[in-house]
Amino acid sequence: MLLFPVAGLGPLTRPDGVEEEVLVLGAVRAVDLERGDGDEYEPAREAWAVESGRSESCVLGQLGGRPAWIQADETPSCPTCDRTMPLVVQLEEGPDHRSAMNFGGAGSAYAFACEPCGRASFLWQC
């Protein structure tokens, strides 16, 4: 997965003298950041789907907050200071297999970071 700011993006032209094949992306998904009320991810996701008339699978995750675990809580501790690491982002696979991230089929990924120690942890559940 690659994330880019929308502003200033445009197609590139092939550089002069390049003969080899150019890699073209098969599918691209654009996203918007939506701010919601409440601290719980799943109820906010459900409310967004009702309000927008779209599927919950269109919600691609959350920034910060508390993880919505699929299985048991696996919040990591920092290997340096042993403090519980806060959630940075939870990512969902998405509705389209052509542009979806693969976390084991209907899975979620979780990234945590200990800012003072500069350590991070990434895991997924399905």
Side-chain angles (χ1 to χ4, degrees), residues 71-124:
Q71 300 173 16
D73 186 332
E74 293 186 63
T75 304
S77 295
C78 176
T80 302
C81 69
D82 203 36
R83 285 186 227 138
T84 300
M85 291 179 150
L87 180 71
V88 174
V89 66
Q90 177 173 340
L91 301 170
E92 305 292 342
E93 290 194 0
D96 184 346
H97 74 280
R98 294 172 301 154
S99 60
M101 298 173 275
N102 184 355
F103 302 128
S108 293
Y110 311 86
F112 299 84
C114 179
E115 189 173 345
C117 299
R119 303 294 299 257
S121 181
F122 181 83
L123 60 109
W124 67 91

Side-chain angles (χ1 to χ4, degrees), residues 9-93:
L9 288 181
L12 295 175
T13 58
R14 183 186 301 224
D16 291 336
V18 174
E19 300 293 327
E20 59 265 4
E21 185 177 337
V22 175
L23 175 64
V24 178
L25 297 175
V28 176
R29 174 167 290 281
V31 298
D32 287 321
L33 176 62
E34 298 274 341
R35 297 194 187 277
D37 295 328
D39 296 331
E40 297 294 324
Y41 175 63
E42 287 301 333
R45 185 178 181 197
E46 292 166 8
W48 177 87
V50 169
E51 290 170 14
S52 68
R54 298 174 67 192
S55 168
E56 288 180 35
S57 68
C58 291
V59 176
L60 299 180
Q62 68 172 328
L63 296 174
R66 291 191 314 212
W69 297 106
I70 294 174
Q71 300 173 16
D73 186 332
E74 293 186 63
T75 304
S77 295
C78 176
T80 302
C81 69
D82 203 36
R83 285 186 227 138
T84 300
M85 291 179 150
L87 180 71
V88 174
V89 66
Q90 177 173 340
L91 301 170
E92 305 292 342
E93 290 194 0

